[in-house]
Every structure is written in structure tokens, then in C-alpha cells.
DNA sequence: TCATGCGGCT
DNA sequence: AGCCGCATGA
């Protein structure tokens, strides 16, 4: 028996908006710790890890660990039927091959339940080692989103370079080149507007903007984003989910190909 | 060496939005006087003339006159990457075949530079004689925009007729006819809401609405628009750019063809 | 003012 | 074909 009651149902709606474009099907894992998901994107290039801790739910009952395979598109369709102020409850009976989403309007005048078939999905749960990063950048998530979008209009890849002074996002395309430098800045009115750089070692890595832009779909979940970089390691783009956990995206850097961008990207 | 610093960068963004649909490629001419452009639209029917006087820039350095050929679509893409509150600096080195747009966020925390390739464009710089006009109408730009859009849903051309009493915009189409009369009106709260008619001689001319609607893309640049008409002369639709100059559109009247609108428009 | 539908761009 | 931004209608 599983019963998770989330007063701020819009959180779950936003989570699905954030990952459904990247991942088609995934197992949601439920344990005493919380509600989590880990999945590769459909082209097996990026990885998404979601955690919603049990403490963040108003009511959290999970008798035994279960893994529920869902089609995220279908799940998203159902969650779109919940109002933004609705309370969402996720329910599943032991051994059932369905999950139920229940939506209660704030006034309790409307109660909806949507039942969705579960699917069997080979889960490839990778252990993700906690790594030390050469540089960690925290900045407003909207600014990061804007930068990724802007650079996409010029080129396909972004070089992210961190020095003590700031973080630079660069691209190059047919019509020209672009460099955007964000300086460290902690003297702002609101802490979420700060750009904070922790750097042990300068680092410069190249990533496909297409994936970065997908990651920024999580922007509504948090005012800030944290970008953790090390050479030879996948970048981690993390959006904290207030009181509950996080959504993290992992993406391997591209090996610099010296201008020779003619071959297709698998 | 060229370096033009424009504190109100959104002006330049709006200028590009105003002309990029009409003109594909154009030379920007830079001299001690200012930053200007003159170009025919891609079907060689309308003409755009832009002037941004040097005094309007916070910093204006132009060592010698140069003409920089730009693809306006690409330029517009880059300017879209500037925030509306950004300060924009246009830079070019002597003899360089690129131009650089630099965007500084108001807080100076973010500095972006975009480099764009220049192109060689045959410039056909027409001397435009200052003419005497039979009638000059000044009215709110939003109202003119609305009229052109509304008439477009009925017909393809607009007849603009000016008498002392007012200006009449008329069209005719398959579904019927439309006449919109704006009376002179100077007794308004704000001067930019006035409709003012200076008339030496009544005039009535016909224009293609398609071009008029393109011209109204400049509406965000000014609260008012000035329409100068003389029989046998191209109409001038002018939007003043505060403190800096203007953008003017010229369009030849159509020769009245007595209902016979079947033949294509070149 | 917010939500939906259409067109342009990637 | 899918996503984003603009425009329109409730």
C-alpha cells in the first residue's frame, strides 16, 4: 500500500513538465526515504535524477519499496488535469499494475481520481558517485535559461568556462560568435539573485545546447540553479525543490573536435 | 575604429524589429553625424530611411565614415540576446569584416559580446529630396496601426484622403467596404494623443495595406506617427525616435485602376 | 488578466 | 515534428 499526499500539487506538475521531454518511460522508486526517479534520456546521453523526500509530503505511507514504471507523457497528461492549487495524492495497492492520482481542489468541492496503467521498465539504476567538482556555479535559474536560449540562436554547443572572476558561456555558429560573461556577484538584494562561484581549479567544458535547453525546463521549480563542473566528468545541473529534494541533470561534456563539426551526433 | 554606446539598447532592438521584415540586407552608414541606414525593401517597392544622430549616443566614436553591410535577420537574432534594459555598444575595427555588439546588463554583472560577419552590399543610396507635402497628418501611432490592421481584414489597399476636417482611411473588398475617419483633435490630455492635420490642399491617395502594415512594426518606437502626402509623391510614414532621430518609410501611391484589381502587384 | 490557438523557427 | 512566442477571445 502506497499513499503519498502532496499539498503543493503544482510541484509534481512542474516536475513532469521538466522531465517528460527528456525521458519517455521511467520507474518511480518509492521507499521510506522518499519518491525518486533516475533515468537516461531517450537517446541515452543525459541522465535525470529526481528526489522528493518523504518529509516533504503531508502524508507519506509506503509499506514496502516499490518501483512503478510509468509513461511520463501519459502521467503528464493526467497531472495536467489537476489544478495548480490542487492537493495531489498518489496511490497504489500492493501488487497492483496501476497507480491512481487523486486531485482535491482547495475547497474540496472537486475530487478527481485518475488511474494509469503501470509498465515494466528495465531499470538501469546507476550509482552516481558523489564527486568533487572543480567548480560550482550558482546563479538565477532564469538567467541560465535565458543564456542557453540565446546561445542556441547562434550555435549548437556551449563552452562553459569558469575562472575566479566569473563564468563564461560561449558559442560559435554560421552567423558569428557569442560570449556571455557572468561575474560573481553576491551583493544583491535577494540571495536568489546572486551569482556565486566556488572554484578549486579553472575548468572549461563543452556541451550540447540542445540538452542544456531541455534541462532548463526545470526552471519553474527553483529560483536558482547549480552547475557543477569537473573536467572529464558529466556536468550536474541541479534545481533544488524547496523542502523536498532536487532534480539533477547529468550530461557528459563533448570532446573538443577542433572545428570539425561535420560528423553527425549519433 | 568605431564605438557607439547606446544606453537605451532597447531602441536598437525595436529598430531592427521595425525593419527586418521589410529589408533583408542593408548597409549601416556611420559618420560623424550619426548612424544611418537607407534601403529598399526586398521587392523594391518601399524605402526605409533610419537616422540615429550621434548626439543620442552616450559615447560616439567614428574615426572615419564607414558602411557596414549586415544581414538584418542575423543582426536581429543577436540583438534579441540583449536584455531590454541592457546598454548596447556597437564596435568595429578599421578594415575588419566583422562587427561586435556588446551588451551590458544594468548591474554590469553580465557582459555579452556577439560578433557578426559583415557582408558586401551594393548600396543604392538615393538622395531623397525634401518635398513640400499637400497634407501632413500626425496621429497616435497605435491608432494608425490599428486602422491598418483593421482595414487589412477587409481589403488590400487603403485610400487615404485628407480634408480640413480630418483624414479618412477607406478600403473595399469582397465582403464589403470600410471607411474610418479621424477628425482633427487637439484638445486631448496628452499631446501624443492628438490628431493634427496640416493641409495645404486636399489629397487622396491609394496604397497597398501590406506595406502600411509592415511600416507599423515601428509603432513601439514612438507614440505618434506622421504621414505626409502629396499627389504623385511617395507617402512618408515617419516615426520619430526620441532624442535620436527617426525612421521613415516611403511608399509610392498606386495608380487608381477603377476596380480592376486583378493583375498582380509586380 | 489568463487561457487557448496559430504561425514561425529549430 | 516539436517547441516558443505572438495574437486573439473569454
Amino acid at each position: 500500500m502506497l499513499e503519498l499526499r502532496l499539498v503543493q500539487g503544482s510541484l509534481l506538475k512542474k516536475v513532469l513538465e521538466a522531465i517528460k521531454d527528456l525521458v519517455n518511460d521511467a520507474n518511480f522508486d518509492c521507499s521510506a526515504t522518499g519518491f525518486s526517479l533516475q533515468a537516461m534520456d531517450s537517446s541515452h546521453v543525459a541522465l535525470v535524477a529526481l528526489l522528493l523526500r518523504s518529509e516533504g509530503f503531508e502524508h507519506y505511507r509506503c509499506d514496502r519499496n516499490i518501483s512503478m514504471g510509468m509513461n511520463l507523457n501519459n502521467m503528464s497528461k493526467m497531472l495536467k488535469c489537476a489544478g495548480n492549487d490542487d492537493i495531489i495524492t498518489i496511490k497504489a495497492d500492493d501488487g497492483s499494475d496501476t497507480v491512481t492520482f487523486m486531485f482535491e481542489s482547495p475547497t474540496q468541492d472537486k475530487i478527481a481520481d485518475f488511474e494509469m496503467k503501470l509498465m515494466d521498465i528495465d531499470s538501469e539504476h546507476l550509482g552516481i558517485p558523489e564527486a568533487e567538482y572543480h567548480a560550482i556555479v550558482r546563479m538565477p535559474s532564469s538567467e541560465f535559461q535565458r543564456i542557453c536560449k540565446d546561445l542556441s540562436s547562434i550555435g549548437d554547443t556551449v563552452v562553459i568556462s569558469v575562472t575566479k572572476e566569473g563564468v563564461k558561456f560561449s558559442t560559435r555558429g554560421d552567423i558569428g560568435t557569442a560570449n556571455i560573461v557572468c561575474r560573481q556577484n553576491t551583493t544583491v538584494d535577494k540571495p536568489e539573485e546572486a551569482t556565486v562561484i566556488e572554484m578549486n581549479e579553472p575548468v572549461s567544458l563543452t556541451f550540447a545546447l540542445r540538452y542544456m535547453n531541455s534541462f532548463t525546463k526545470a526552471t519553474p521549480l527553483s529560483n536558482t540553479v547549480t552547475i557543477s563542473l569537473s573536467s572529464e566528468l558529466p556536468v550536474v545541473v541541479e534545481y533544488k525543490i524547496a523542502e523536498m529534494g532536487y532534480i539533477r541533470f547529468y550530461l557528459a561534456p563533448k570532446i573538443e573536435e577542433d572545428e570539425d563539426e561535420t560528423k553527425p551526433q549519433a
Side-chain angles (χ1 to χ4, degrees), chain A:
Chain A
M1 176 68 178
L2 174 89
E3 197 170 292
L4 318 184
R5 181 177 165 93
L6 182 63
V7 174
Q8 201 182 151
S10 60
L11 270 189
L12 193 62
K13 289 169 60 107
K14 289 178 192 163
V15 163
L16 261 101
E17 288 308 298
I19 56 182
K20 79 173 195 326
D21 294 332
L22 211 52
V23 180
N24 294 129
D25 307 303
N27 285 312
F28 281 87
D29 296 311
C30 202
S31 72
T33 315
F35 192 62
S36 66
L37 168 151
Q38 188 184 300
M40 300 293 288
D41 84 287
S42 25
S43 43
H44 274 244
V45 173
L47 187 144
V48 192
L50 166 75
L51 174 63
L52 300 174
R53 287 188 206 92
S54 50
E55 305 92 75
F57 292 84
E58 193 204 16
H59 170 71
Y60 192 94
R61 173 176 171 186
C62 175
D63 295 346
R64 54 194 193 79
N65 295 359
I66 59 170
S67 188
M68 296 181 290
M70 308 198 196
N71 175 295
L72 299 190
N73 242 309
N74 294 342
M75 180 174 172
S76 168
K77 274 187 194 167
M78 291 193 168
L79 291 181
K80 278 191 179 144
C81 303
N84 280 326
D85 302 323
D86 284 4
I87 296 168
I88 299 184
T89 302
I90 304 170
K91 291 187 202 178
D93 289 322
D94 287 333
S96 166
D97 64 346
T98 64
V99 60
T100 299
F101 302 107
M102 191 175 86
F103 311 142
E104 300 166 64
S105 71
T107 57
Q108 302 286 325
D109 293 338
K110 187 168 95 181
I111 298 187
D113 54 278
F114 287 69
E115 186 175 288
M116 187 178 78
K117 285 211 183 65
L118 295 174
M119 13 179 355
D120 269 323
I121 298 167
D122 296 339
S123 81
E124 21 178 358
H125 203 93
L126 318 175
I128 301 167
E130 285 285 322
E132 283 290 307
Y133 287 94
H134 292 164
I136 301 181
V137 176
R138 178 162 65 80
M139 63 191 296
S141 57
S142 56
E143 190 164 330
F144 179 63
Q145 181 176 46
R146 174 72 194 261
I147 289 169
C148 291
K149 182 173 74 69
D150 283 350
L151 293 187
S152 302
S153 70
I154 312 291
D156 300 326
T157 61
V158 57
V159 180
I160 305 181
S161 313
V162 184
T163 62
K164 274 217 167 53
E165 286 70 44
V167 53
K168 182 169 78 172
F169 303 89
S170 308
T171 194
R172 161 186 305 274
D174 294 341
I175 70 171
T177 64
N179 299 288
I180 300 174
V181 177
C182 299
R183 291 174 50 200
Q184 157 131 296
N185 172 12
T186 54
T187 60
V188 286
D189 295 345
K190 302 171 195 160
E192 65 266 28
E193 289 169 0
T195 298
V196 183
I197 294 169
E198 287 172 45
M199 192 201 75
N200 302 315
E201 205 175 310
V203 61
S204 180
L205 295 166
T206 305
F207 302 98
L209 277 166
R210 179 187 148 205
Y211 290 100
M212 286 291 169
N213 274 312
S214 279
F215 301 166
T216 62
K217 296 271 164 64
T219 303
L221 282 165
S222 175
N223 288 323
T224 62
V225 62
T226 305
I227 305 161
S228 305
L229 301 140
S230 270
S231 42
E232 317 295 317
L233 273 187
V235 63
V236 187
V237 178
E238 170 170 339
Y239 297 83
K240 292 240 191 300
I241 301 172
E243 320 292 326
M244 294 215 65
Y246 56 77
I247 181 165
R248 291 179 186 154
F249 300 96
Y250 297 80
L251 177 65
K254 293 173 79 95
I255 307 308
E256 309 265 359
E257 295 182 48
D258 305 278
E259 311 282 310
D260 178 16
E261 287 294 338
T262 49
K263 80 174 187 190
Q265 303 282 328

